[in-house]
Amino acid sequence: MQPFATMLDFQEGTITPNDNVIIRRLSHMTPMFADQDAAARLLAEDDPVLYEVYEVHVPDNAGNLNHCCSIIYPGKVGDEYFMTKGHFHAVEGTAEIYLGLQGEGLLLMETRDGEVAHIPFRPGVMAYIPPFWAHRMINTGKDRFIFLGVYPGNAGHNYGAIEQTGFAKLVVESDGAPVLIDNPKR
Ligand code: S6P
Ligand code: ZN
């Protein structure tokens, strides 16, 4: 393998060249939002793009480092902000670093034994997600929320139970500001 470089556009969140761009629309994760009536209303008029991920693939072993840039668009389903699906790594003992580039957001994390943590994001915030912590990013601002992720090549994704029941906390707007509330499904 040879050294290489890509161009990360700090304003747009695009990586050039990239190996893949994931485009996640509301219809790809409708059941993950608490307010299903609001989701149905949005889907009836449009199927908004919630986020995009520009990915650079490297060999999928522990010695390599995947790196990708995610762009979460501003918006809400009911009171719940647009967010990523969220996941444990398939190899749960692998960590990740998130670096905020644009916009405002919140990193929500939890462990399998019930610990919960969150970190507010703005440009320059660099969060360390330790091994064994599930992670989800949420756009709590009015503009695009853009962040870089770096994680081991063998980490993989496990959406599993998170797709069915979500995280222990929901992040919703209350009086114009983000607040964490208990997830009634958990
Ligand atoms: C991968 C890393 C990110 C997310 C991306 C989308 O380990 O955490 O690249 O994959 O932000 O989130 P999700 O939860 O839909 O994969
Ligand atoms: Zn991850």
Side-chain angles (χ1 to χ4, degrees):
M1 190 175 174
Q2 292 294 307
F4 69 94
T6 55
M7 280 302 295
L8 169 58
D9 185 321
F10 283 18
Q11 303 299 319
E12 301 296 326
T14 55
I15 297 179
T16 313
N18 61 71
D19 295 301
N20 188 40
V21 182
I22 297 169
I23 298 177
R24 204 87 83 190
R25 292 181 178 275
L26 176 57
S27 59
H28 299 140
M29 50 188 285
T30 311
M32 301 184 85
F33 288 93
D35 187 339
Q36 287 295 296
D37 292 337
R41 283 196 298 274
L42 273 177
L43 286 171
E45 50 186 70
D46 196 4
D47 184 6
V49 174
L50 305 188
Y51 60 99
E52 298 175 351
V53 187
Y54 285 76
E55 297 186 313
V56 180
H57 285 307
V58 298
D60 60 357
N61 56 51
N64 279 286
L65 291 171
N66 281 315
H67 41 296
C68 59
C69 196
S70 304
I71 304 153
I72 309 180
Y73 290 92
K76 287 177 296 173
V77 179
D79 293 330
E80 195 173 12
Y81 297 100
F82 286 2
M83 61 189 182
T84 60
K85 289 175 83 167
H87 57 272
F88 284 96
H89 288 159
V91 177
E92 290 197 14
T94 54
E96 180 153 1
I97 288 172
Y98 277 164
L99 171 64
L101 298 178
Q102 290 284 333
E104 289 172 22
L106 190 142
L107 168 59
L108 186 61
M109 293 165 283
E110 68 181 37
T111 64
R112 292 206 184 272
D113 52 15
E115 277 189 279
V116 173
H118 69 277
I119 295 176
F121 257 71
R122 57 189 166 78
V125 172
M126 181 162 62
Y128 188 70
I129 302 161
F132 304 105
W133 282 81
H135 40 287
R136 162 182 284 167
M137 284 291 239
I138 297 133
N139 185 343
T140 56
K142 303 215 176 316
D143 302 311
R144 290 173 305 168
F145 175 39
I146 301 176
F147 60 96
L148 177 72
V150 181
Y151 56 105
N154 66 333
H157 294 80
N158 175 8
Y159 296 103
I162 288 172
E163 259 178 335
Q164 312 304 321
T165 52
F167 280 66
K169 299 287 181 185
L170 307 179
V171 183
V172 299
E173 187 180 77
S174 175
D175 293 330
V179 292
L180 274 67
I181 61 170
D182 289 337
N183 176 359
K185 282 197 204 165
R186 292 277 301 267

